[in-house]
Amino acid sequence: MFETLLLNFLFLLVPVVIFLIFFENRPYASHGKVLVLLSAVSMILCISMPIQLSIGFIVDLRYIPFLIVALYGGYRNVFLLYIILNLYRLYVGGEGTMQSFLFSTTMMVIVPYYSAKFLKLSSKGRILWAAIASFLTTGFYLLTLSFAKGALNKQFWILVLNALTTYVIFMVILMILIEKIIANMKNRDRIMQSERLKVVSELAASVSHEIRNPLTVTSGFLQLLNKSKTIGPEEMQYVELSLQELKRAEKIVSDYLSFAKPQSENMVYSDMSTELEYTKNVIMPYASIHKVRVEFHFNNSLQKHYDRNQVQQCLINLYKNGIEAMRDKGGGTLSIDISEKKQNIVIRIQDTGVGMTREEISRLGKPYYSTKEEGTGLGMLMVYSTVDKLKGFIEVESEKGKGTTFLITIPT
Ligand code: ADP
Ligand code: MG
């Protein structure tokens, strides 16, 4: 029996190992499907080689991958698994098919309901709750089994004890592995992002400075030329166009310059209320042009050292993106909230705009990533770089078509 147990454990490890070797570096969007299919393989293997117990019962570990997919993936992902499970179970046939069907249906309906809550928990919380979920579901399964067989003798209770411990222990081991993999992936992304920022800001600071001077000189002379009376209307148009393009170049350069190191003359020790007030005035006209209602809330007493210009720029970038996301929807509400939570300043910027897919969220903050015609793709990079310098972090929640929430946590 011990051999079969180990074999089953190996089946559970198969998706983890294969995922790590072959799929970890693929885009996040493809992970869901791959994991569901790998879990299906693992489940089929578990059903094919169940653990035969001395008293005639068989148990297998098929519900571990099922539970994990239900908890992490919600209804959409587990449904496919549910179908595969029942088709295969039907194919295998034999005693208990109906029971298995009823039980998996119950689980399919109940467990994914808690998926959203589960995903919001901390890593430790998820491990704990997955363990509890496996305990409860296995307990429930054995209970129904006992009713069906009506064999409530001592041997049955030994079986219950064994099955429960096996399920819970295997679940915990798997969950620790999964959570560790998730943490590693997140860490790697963070390190990559911070490397990118370093390169960009160093390059930007040096190049932008050098380019700014010639730009200013050229645009000065062009402005003089613009006033000259000797050039014709056609030339005048060329000059106008050149000036416009120069202005654009200047804007890009100043976007880049905002990555530069914090300047000592801008450093303040404050609670961000001044910045909120200032950026509010800057953004209001832009919001009203696009029929966006803006709500401000401020409830923070914590203070922090920061570069005033950078924080202002960062807030403005976020507001602008929010408003631009609502532009095509013909308006909406932008709600901005600065508050405190356990020694952290929490900035929350919520829009009711077009939203983003997960794939799009994962590309936020990469240089030049923009879906707008006139976009530079530097706004979010600047936001990430500023928050990074403040040792804070950014969480993004978004639903396509519904809107986006940026949650920035800055420790004080
Ligand atoms: P830009 O605004 O110049 O396009 P950003 O770096 O500010 O560059 O933003 C990058 C991209 O991220 C945008 O083009 C847009 O597709 C997406 N984005 C950023 N913020 C939001 C938001 N609040 N809602 C929807 N999409 C957003
Ligand atoms: Mg932008």
Coordinates of all heavy atoms in Angstrom, one line a residue, residues 9-84:
F9 N 1.5 10.0 -5.0 CA 2.2 11.3 -4.7 C 2.9 11.8 -5.9 O 2.9 13.0 -6.3 CB 3.1 11.2 -3.5 CG 3.6 12.5 -3.0 CD1 2.8 13.5 -2.7 CD2 5.0 12.7 -2.9 CE1 3.3 14.8 -2.3 CE2 5.5 13.9 -2.5 CZ 4.6 14.9 -2.2
L10 N 3.6 10.8 -6.6 CA 4.3 11.2 -7.8 C 3.4 11.7 -8.9 O 3.7 12.7 -9.5 CB 5.0 9.9 -8.3 CG 5.8 10.1 -9.6 CD1 7.0 11.0 -9.4 CD2 6.2 8.8 -10.2
F11 N 2.2 11.1 -9.0 CA 1.2 11.6 -10.0 C 0.9 13.1 -9.7 O 0.7 13.9 -10.6 CB -0.1 10.8 -9.9 CG 0.1 9.4 -10.3 CD1 -0.7 8.4 -9.9 CD2 1.2 9.0 -11.2 CE1 -0.6 7.1 -10.3 CE2 1.4 7.7 -11.6 CZ 0.5 6.7 -11.1
L12 N 0.8 13.4 -8.4 CA 0.4 14.8 -8.0 C 1.6 15.7 -8.3 O 1.3 16.9 -8.7 CB 0.1 14.9 -6.5 CG -1.1 14.1 -6.1 CD1 -1.3 14.3 -4.6 CD2 -2.4 14.6 -6.8
L13 N 2.8 15.2 -8.3 CA 3.9 16.1 -8.5 C 4.1 16.3 -10.0 O 4.7 17.3 -10.4 CB 5.2 15.5 -8.0 CG 5.4 15.6 -6.5 CD1 6.7 15.0 -6.1 CD2 5.4 17.1 -6.1
V14 N 3.6 15.4 -10.8 CA 3.8 15.5 -12.3 C 3.5 16.9 -12.9 O 4.3 17.5 -13.5 CB 3.0 14.4 -13.0 CG1 2.9 14.7 -14.5 CG2 3.8 13.1 -12.9
P15 N 2.3 17.5 -12.6 CA 2.0 18.8 -13.1 C 3.0 19.8 -12.7 O 3.4 20.7 -13.5 CB 0.6 19.1 -12.6 CG 0.0 17.9 -12.1 CD 1.2 16.9 -11.8
V16 N 3.4 19.8 -11.4 CA 4.3 20.8 -10.9 C 5.6 20.8 -11.6 O 6.1 21.8 -12.1 CB 4.5 20.5 -9.4 CG1 5.5 21.5 -8.8 CG2 3.2 20.6 -8.6
V17 N 6.1 19.5 -11.8 CA 7.5 19.4 -12.4 C 7.4 19.8 -13.9 O 8.2 20.6 -14.4 CB 8.0 17.9 -12.3 CG1 9.2 17.7 -13.1 CG2 8.2 17.6 -10.8
I18 N 6.4 19.3 -14.6 CA 6.3 19.6 -16.0 C 6.1 21.1 -16.2 O 6.7 21.7 -17.1 CB 5.1 18.8 -16.7 CG1 5.5 17.3 -16.6 CG2 4.9 19.2 -18.1 CD1 4.8 16.4 -17.5
F19 N 5.2 21.6 -15.4 CA 5.0 23.1 -15.5 C 6.3 23.9 -15.3 O 6.6 24.7 -16.1 CB 4.0 23.5 -14.5 CG 3.8 25.0 -14.5 CD1 3.0 25.6 -15.5 CD2 4.4 25.8 -13.5 CE1 2.8 27.0 -15.5 CE2 4.2 27.2 -13.6 CZ 3.4 27.8 -14.6
L20 N 7.0 23.5 -14.3 CA 8.3 24.2 -14.0 C 9.3 24.1 -15.2 O 10.0 25.0 -15.5 CB 8.9 23.7 -12.7 CG 8.4 24.4 -11.5 CD1 9.2 23.9 -10.3 CD2 8.6 25.9 -11.6
I21 N 9.4 22.9 -15.7 CA 10.4 22.7 -16.8 C 10.0 23.3 -18.1 O 10.8 23.9 -18.7 CB 10.7 21.2 -16.9 CG1 11.3 20.6 -15.6 CG2 11.6 20.9 -18.1 CD1 11.5 19.1 -15.6
F22 N 8.7 23.1 -18.5 CA 8.4 23.5 -19.8 C 7.6 24.8 -20.0 O 7.6 25.4 -21.0 CB 7.6 22.4 -20.5 CG 8.4 21.1 -20.7 CD1 8.2 20.0 -19.9 CD2 9.3 21.1 -21.7 CE1 8.9 18.9 -20.0 CE2 10.1 19.9 -21.9 CZ 9.9 18.8 -21.0
F23 N 6.8 25.1 -19.0 CA 5.8 26.2 -19.2 C 6.0 27.5 -18.4 O 5.3 28.5 -18.6 CB 4.4 25.7 -19.0 CG 4.1 24.6 -20.0 CD1 4.1 23.3 -19.6 CD2 3.7 24.9 -21.3 CE1 3.8 22.3 -20.4 CE2 3.4 23.9 -22.2 CZ 3.5 22.6 -21.8
E24 N 6.9 27.4 -17.4 CA 7.0 28.6 -16.5 C 7.2 29.9 -17.2 O 6.8 30.9 -16.8 CB 8.0 28.3 -15.4 CG 7.9 29.1 -14.2 CD 9.1 29.3 -13.5 OE1 10.1 28.6 -13.8 OE2 9.2 30.1 -12.6
N25 N 8.1 29.8 -18.2 CA 8.5 31.0 -18.9 C 7.6 31.5 -20.0 O 7.8 32.5 -20.6 CB 9.9 30.9 -19.4 CG 10.9 30.8 -18.3 OD1 10.7 31.6 -17.3 ND2 11.8 29.9 -18.4
R26 N 6.5 30.7 -20.2 CA 5.5 31.1 -21.2 C 4.7 32.3 -20.7 O 4.7 32.5 -19.5 CB 4.5 30.0 -21.5 CG 5.2 28.8 -22.2 CD 5.5 29.1 -23.6 NE 6.1 27.9 -24.3 CZ 5.5 26.9 -24.8 NH1 4.2 26.8 -24.7 NH2 6.1 25.9 -25.3
P27 N 4.0 33.0 -21.6 CA 3.2 34.1 -21.1 C 2.1 33.7 -20.1 O 1.6 32.6 -20.2 CB 2.5 34.6 -22.4 CG 3.2 34.0 -23.5 CD 4.0 32.9 -23.0
Y28 N 1.8 34.5 -19.1 CA 0.9 34.1 -18.0 C -0.4 33.7 -18.5 O -1.1 32.8 -17.9 CB 0.7 35.3 -17.1 CG 1.9 35.6 -16.2 CD1 2.1 36.8 -15.5 CD2 2.9 34.6 -16.1 CE1 3.2 37.0 -14.8 CE2 4.0 34.8 -15.3 CZ 4.2 36.0 -14.6 OH 5.3 36.3 -13.9
A29 N -0.8 34.3 -19.7 CA -2.2 34.0 -20.1 C -2.4 32.5 -20.5 O -3.5 32.0 -20.3 CB -2.5 34.9 -21.3
S30 N -1.3 31.9 -20.9 CA -1.5 30.5 -21.3 C -1.4 29.5 -20.1 O -1.7 28.3 -20.2 CB -0.4 30.1 -22.3 OG 0.9 30.2 -21.7
H31 N -1.0 30.0 -18.9 CA -0.8 29.1 -17.8 C -2.0 28.4 -17.3 O -2.0 27.2 -17.0 CB -0.2 30.0 -16.6 CG 1.2 30.3 -16.7 ND1 1.9 31.1 -15.8 CD2 2.1 30.0 -17.7 CE1 3.1 31.3 -16.2 NE2 3.3 30.6 -17.4
G32 N -3.2 29.1 -17.3 CA -4.4 28.5 -16.9 C -4.7 27.2 -17.6 O -4.9 26.2 -17.0
K33 N -4.7 27.3 -18.9 CA -5.1 26.1 -19.7 C -4.1 24.9 -19.5 O -4.5 23.8 -19.3 CB -5.1 26.4 -21.2 CG -6.4 27.1 -21.6 CD -6.5 27.3 -23.1 CE -7.3 28.5 -23.5 NZ -6.5 29.7 -23.7
V34 N -2.8 25.3 -19.5 CA -1.8 24.3 -19.3 C -2.0 23.6 -18.0 O -2.0 22.3 -17.9 CB -0.4 24.9 -19.4 CG1 0.6 24.0 -18.9 CG2 -0.1 25.4 -20.8
L35 N -2.2 24.4 -17.0 CA -2.4 23.8 -15.6 C -3.6 22.9 -15.5 O -3.5 21.8 -14.9 CB -2.4 24.9 -14.6 CG -1.0 25.5 -14.3 CD1 -1.0 26.7 -13.5 CD2 0.0 24.4 -13.7
V36 N -4.7 23.3 -16.2 CA -5.9 22.5 -16.1 C -5.6 21.1 -16.8 O -6.0 20.1 -16.3 CB -7.1 23.2 -16.8 CG1 -8.2 22.3 -17.0 CG2 -7.5 24.4 -16.0
L37 N -5.0 21.2 -17.9 CA -4.7 19.9 -18.7 C -3.7 19.0 -17.9 O -4.0 17.8 -17.8 CB -4.1 20.2 -20.0 CG -5.2 20.8 -21.0 CD1 -4.5 21.1 -22.3 CD2 -6.3 19.9 -21.2
L38 N -2.7 19.6 -17.3 CA -1.8 18.8 -16.5 C -2.5 18.2 -15.3 O -2.2 17.1 -14.9 CB -0.6 19.7 -16.0 CG 0.4 20.1 -17.1 CD1 1.4 21.1 -16.6 CD2 1.1 18.8 -17.6
S39 N -3.4 19.0 -14.7 CA -4.1 18.5 -13.5 C -5.0 17.3 -14.0 O -5.2 16.4 -13.2 CB -5.0 19.6 -12.9 OG -4.2 20.7 -12.6
A40 N -5.6 17.5 -15.2 CA -6.4 16.4 -15.7 C -5.6 15.1 -15.8 O -6.0 14.0 -15.4 CB -7.0 16.8 -17.0
V41 N -4.4 15.2 -16.4 CA -3.5 14.1 -16.5 C -3.3 13.4 -15.1 O -3.4 12.2 -14.9 CB -2.2 14.5 -17.1 CG1 -1.2 13.3 -17.1 CG2 -2.4 14.9 -18.6
S42 N -2.9 14.3 -14.2 CA -2.6 13.8 -12.9 C -3.9 13.1 -12.2 O -3.7 12.1 -11.6 CB -2.2 15.0 -12.0 OG -2.4 14.8 -10.7
M43 N -5.0 13.7 -12.5 CA -6.3 13.1 -12.0 C -6.5 11.7 -12.6 O -6.9 10.8 -11.9 CB -7.4 14.0 -12.3 CG -8.3 14.3 -11.1 SD -9.4 15.7 -11.4 CE -10.0 15.3 -13.0
I44 N -6.3 11.6 -13.9 CA -6.6 10.4 -14.6 C -5.6 9.3 -14.0 O -6.0 8.1 -13.8 CB -6.4 10.5 -16.1 CG1 -7.6 11.3 -16.6 CG2 -6.3 9.2 -16.8 CD1 -7.5 11.7 -18.0
L45 N -4.4 9.7 -13.8 CA -3.4 8.7 -13.3 C -3.8 8.3 -11.9 O -3.7 7.1 -11.5 CB -2.0 9.4 -13.2 CG -1.3 9.6 -14.6 CD1 0.0 10.4 -14.4 CD2 -1.0 8.2 -15.2
C46 N -4.3 9.2 -11.1 CA -4.7 8.9 -9.7 C -5.9 7.9 -9.7 O -5.9 7.0 -8.9 CB -5.1 10.2 -9.0 SG -3.7 11.1 -8.3
I47 N -6.8 8.1 -10.7 CA -8.0 7.3 -10.7 C -7.6 5.9 -11.2 O -8.0 4.9 -10.7 CB -9.1 7.8 -11.7 CG1 -9.5 9.2 -11.1 CG2 -10.2 6.9 -11.7 CD1 -10.5 9.9 -12.1
S48 N -6.6 5.9 -12.1 CA -6.2 4.6 -12.7 C -5.5 3.7 -11.7 O -5.5 2.5 -11.8 CB -5.3 4.8 -13.9 OG -5.8 5.7 -14.7
M49 N -4.8 4.3 -10.8 CA -4.0 3.5 -9.8 C -4.4 3.9 -8.4 O -3.6 4.5 -7.7 CB -2.6 3.7 -10.0 CG -2.0 2.5 -10.8 SD -0.3 2.7 -11.1 CE -0.4 2.5 -12.9
P50 N -5.6 3.5 -8.0 CA -6.1 3.9 -6.6 C -5.3 3.1 -5.6 O -4.7 2.1 -5.9 CB -7.5 3.6 -6.7 CG -7.7 2.5 -7.7 CD -6.6 2.7 -8.7
I51 N -5.5 3.5 -4.4 CA -4.9 2.8 -3.2 C -5.9 1.8 -2.7 O -7.0 2.2 -2.3 CB -4.5 3.8 -2.1 CG1 -3.6 4.9 -2.7 CG2 -3.9 3.1 -1.0 CD1 -3.6 6.2 -2.0
Q52 N -5.6 0.5 -2.8 CA -6.5 -0.5 -2.4 C -6.3 -0.8 -0.9 O -5.2 -1.1 -0.4 CB -6.1 -1.8 -3.2 CG -7.2 -2.8 -3.2 CD -8.2 -2.6 -4.4 OE1 -7.8 -2.2 -5.4 NE2 -9.5 -2.7 -4.1
L53 N -7.4 -0.6 -0.2 CA -7.3 -0.8 1.2 C -7.7 -2.2 1.6 O -8.5 -2.8 0.9 CB -8.1 0.2 2.0 CG -7.6 1.6 1.9 CD1 -8.6 2.6 2.4 CD2 -6.3 1.8 2.7
S54 N -7.2 -2.7 2.7 CA -7.4 -4.1 3.1 C -8.9 -4.4 3.2 O -9.3 -5.5 2.9 CB -6.7 -4.4 4.4 OG -7.0 -3.3 5.3
I55 N -9.7 -3.5 3.7 CA -11.1 -3.8 4.0 C -12.0 -3.6 2.7 O -13.2 -3.6 2.9 CB -11.7 -2.9 5.1 CG1 -11.2 -1.5 4.9 CG2 -11.3 -3.5 6.4 CD1 -11.9 -0.6 5.9
G56 N -11.4 -3.5 1.6 CA -12.2 -3.5 0.4 C -12.5 -2.1 -0.2 O -13.0 -2.0 -1.3
F57 N -12.2 -1.1 0.6 CA -12.4 0.2 0.1 C -11.2 0.6 -0.9 O -10.1 0.1 -0.7 CB -12.4 1.2 1.2 CG -13.7 1.2 2.0 CD1 -13.7 1.0 3.3 CD2 -14.9 1.4 1.3 CE1 -14.9 1.0 4.0 CE2 -16.1 1.4 2.0 CZ -16.1 1.2 3.4
I58 N -11.5 1.5 -1.8 CA -10.4 2.1 -2.5 C -10.5 3.6 -2.3 O -11.6 4.2 -2.3 CB -10.4 1.8 -4.0 CG1 -11.8 1.6 -4.6 CG2 -9.6 0.6 -4.3 CD1 -11.8 1.4 -6.0
V59 N -9.3 4.2 -2.1 CA -9.3 5.7 -2.1 C -8.3 6.1 -3.1 O -7.3 5.4 -3.4 CB -8.9 6.3 -0.7 CG1 -10.1 6.2 0.2 CG2 -7.7 5.6 -0.2
D60 N -8.5 7.2 -3.7 CA -7.5 7.8 -4.5 C -7.4 9.3 -4.3 O -8.3 9.8 -3.6 CB -7.7 7.5 -6.0 CG -9.0 8.0 -6.5 OD1 -9.2 9.2 -6.3 OD2 -9.8 7.3 -7.1
L61 N -6.4 9.9 -4.9 CA -6.1 11.3 -4.5 C -6.6 12.3 -5.6 O -6.2 13.4 -5.7 CB -4.6 11.5 -4.3 CG -4.1 10.7 -3.1 CD1 -2.6 10.8 -3.1 CD2 -4.7 11.1 -1.8
R62 N -7.6 11.8 -6.4 CA -8.0 12.6 -7.6 C -8.5 14.0 -7.1 O -8.4 15.0 -7.9 CB -9.1 11.9 -8.3 CG -10.4 12.0 -7.6 CD -11.5 11.2 -8.4 NE -11.4 9.8 -8.1 CZ -12.5 9.0 -8.2 NH1 -13.6 9.5 -8.6 NH2 -12.4 7.8 -7.8
Y63 N -9.0 14.1 -5.9 CA -9.7 15.4 -5.6 C -8.7 16.4 -5.1 O -9.0 17.6 -5.0 CB -10.7 15.2 -4.5 CG -12.0 14.6 -5.1 CD1 -12.4 13.3 -4.8 CD2 -12.6 15.3 -6.1 CE1 -13.5 12.7 -5.4 CE2 -13.7 14.7 -6.7 CZ -14.1 13.4 -6.4 OH -15.2 12.9 -7.0
I64 N -7.4 16.0 -5.0 CA -6.4 17.1 -4.7 C -6.2 18.0 -5.9 O -6.4 19.2 -5.7 CB -5.1 16.5 -4.2 CG1 -5.4 15.9 -2.8 CG2 -4.0 17.5 -4.1 CD1 -4.2 15.4 -2.0
P65 N -5.8 17.5 -7.1 CA -5.8 18.5 -8.2 C -7.1 19.2 -8.4 O -7.1 20.4 -8.8 CB -5.4 17.6 -9.4 CG -5.4 16.2 -8.9 CD -5.4 16.2 -7.5
F66 N -8.2 18.5 -8.3 CA -9.5 19.1 -8.5 C -9.7 20.3 -7.6 O -10.1 21.4 -8.0 CB -10.6 18.0 -8.2 CG -11.9 18.4 -8.8 CD1 -12.3 18.2 -10.1 CD2 -12.8 19.0 -7.9 CE1 -13.5 18.5 -10.5 CE2 -14.1 19.4 -8.4 CZ -14.4 19.2 -9.7
L67 N -9.4 20.1 -6.3 CA -9.6 21.2 -5.3 C -8.7 22.3 -5.6 O -9.1 23.5 -5.6 CB -9.2 20.6 -3.9 CG -10.3 20.2 -3.0 CD1 -9.7 19.8 -1.7 CD2 -11.2 21.4 -2.7
I68 N -7.4 22.0 -6.0 CA -6.5 23.1 -6.2 C -6.9 23.9 -7.4 O -6.9 25.2 -7.4 CB -5.0 22.5 -6.5 CG1 -4.5 21.9 -5.2 CG2 -4.1 23.6 -7.0 CD1 -3.2 21.3 -5.2
V69 N -7.3 23.3 -8.5 CA -7.8 24.0 -9.7 C -9.0 24.8 -9.3 O -9.2 26.0 -9.7 CB -8.1 23.1 -10.9 CG1 -8.7 23.8 -12.0 CG2 -6.7 22.5 -11.4
A70 N -9.9 24.2 -8.5 CA -11.2 24.9 -8.2 C -10.9 26.2 -7.4 O -11.5 27.2 -7.6 CB -12.1 24.0 -7.4
L71 N -9.9 26.0 -6.4 CA -9.6 27.2 -5.6 C -8.8 28.3 -6.3 O -9.2 29.5 -6.2 CB -8.7 26.7 -4.4 CG -9.5 26.0 -3.3 CD1 -8.6 25.4 -2.3 CD2 -10.5 26.9 -2.6
Y72 N -7.9 27.9 -7.2 CA -7.1 28.9 -7.9 C -7.8 29.4 -9.1 O -7.7 30.6 -9.5 CB -5.7 28.4 -8.2 CG -4.7 28.4 -7.1 CD1 -4.5 27.2 -6.4 CD2 -4.0 29.5 -6.8 CE1 -3.6 27.2 -5.3 CE2 -3.1 29.5 -5.7 CZ -2.9 28.4 -5.0 OH -2.0 28.4 -4.0
G73 N -8.5 28.5 -9.8 CA -9.0 28.8 -11.1 C -10.4 29.2 -11.2 O -10.9 29.7 -12.2
G74 N -11.2 28.9 -10.2 CA -12.6 29.3 -10.2 C -13.4 28.4 -11.2 O -12.9 27.4 -11.7
Y75 N -14.7 28.8 -11.4 CA -15.6 28.0 -12.1 C -15.1 27.6 -13.5 O -15.2 26.5 -14.0 CB -17.0 28.7 -12.2 CG -17.8 28.6 -11.0 CD1 -18.0 29.7 -10.2 CD2 -18.4 27.4 -10.6 CE1 -18.7 29.6 -9.0 CE2 -19.1 27.3 -9.4 CZ -19.2 28.4 -8.6 OH -19.9 28.4 -7.5
R76 N -14.6 28.7 -14.2 CA -14.3 28.5 -15.6 C -13.3 27.4 -15.8 O -13.4 26.5 -16.7 CB -13.8 29.8 -16.2 CG -14.3 30.1 -17.5 CD -13.8 31.3 -18.1 NE -12.4 31.5 -17.6 CZ -11.6 32.5 -17.9 NH1 -12.1 33.4 -18.7 NH2 -10.4 32.5 -17.5
N77 N -12.2 27.3 -15.0 CA -11.2 26.3 -15.2 C -11.6 25.0 -14.7 O -11.3 24.0 -15.3 CB -9.9 26.8 -14.5 CG -9.3 27.9 -15.2 OD1 -9.1 27.9 -16.4 ND2 -9.0 29.0 -14.5
V78 N -12.3 25.0 -13.6 CA -12.6 23.6 -13.0 C -13.7 22.9 -13.8 O -13.7 21.7 -13.7 CB -13.0 23.8 -11.5 CG1 -14.4 24.0 -11.3 CG2 -12.5 22.6 -10.7
F79 N -14.4 23.6 -14.5 CA -15.5 23.0 -15.3 C -15.0 22.0 -16.3 O -15.5 20.8 -16.4 CB -16.4 24.0 -16.0 CG -17.6 23.5 -16.6 CD1 -18.6 23.0 -15.8 CD2 -17.7 23.4 -18.0 CE1 -19.7 22.4 -16.4 CE2 -18.8 22.8 -18.6 CZ -19.9 22.3 -17.8
L80 N -13.9 22.4 -17.0 CA -13.3 21.5 -17.9 C -12.8 20.2 -17.2 O -13.0 19.1 -17.6 CB -12.1 22.2 -18.6 CG -11.4 21.4 -19.7 CD1 -12.3 21.2 -20.8 CD2 -10.1 22.2 -20.1
L81 N -12.1 20.4 -16.0 CA -11.6 19.3 -15.3 C -12.7 18.4 -14.8 O -12.6 17.2 -14.8 CB -10.9 19.9 -14.0 CG -9.8 19.1 -13.4 CD1 -8.7 18.9 -14.5 CD2 -9.2 19.8 -12.2
Y82 N -13.8 19.0 -14.5 CA -15.0 18.3 -14.0 C -15.5 17.3 -15.1 O -15.8 16.2 -14.9 CB -16.1 19.3 -13.6 CG -17.5 18.8 -13.4 CD1 -17.8 18.1 -12.2 CD2 -18.5 19.0 -14.4 CE1 -19.1 17.6 -12.0 CE2 -19.7 18.5 -14.2 CZ -20.1 17.8 -13.0 OH -21.3 17.4 -12.8
I83 N -15.6 17.9 -16.3 CA -16.0 17.1 -17.4 C -15.1 15.9 -17.7 O -15.5 14.7 -17.8 CB -16.2 17.9 -18.7 CG1 -17.2 19.0 -18.4 CG2 -16.5 17.1 -19.9 CD1 -17.9 19.5 -19.6
I84 N -13.8 16.2 -17.7 CA -12.8 15.2 -18.0 C -12.9 14.1 -16.9 O -12.9 12.9 -17.2 CB -11.4 15.8 -18.0 CG1 -11.2 16.7 -19.2 CG2 -10.3 14.7 -18.2 CD1 -9.9 17.4 -19.2

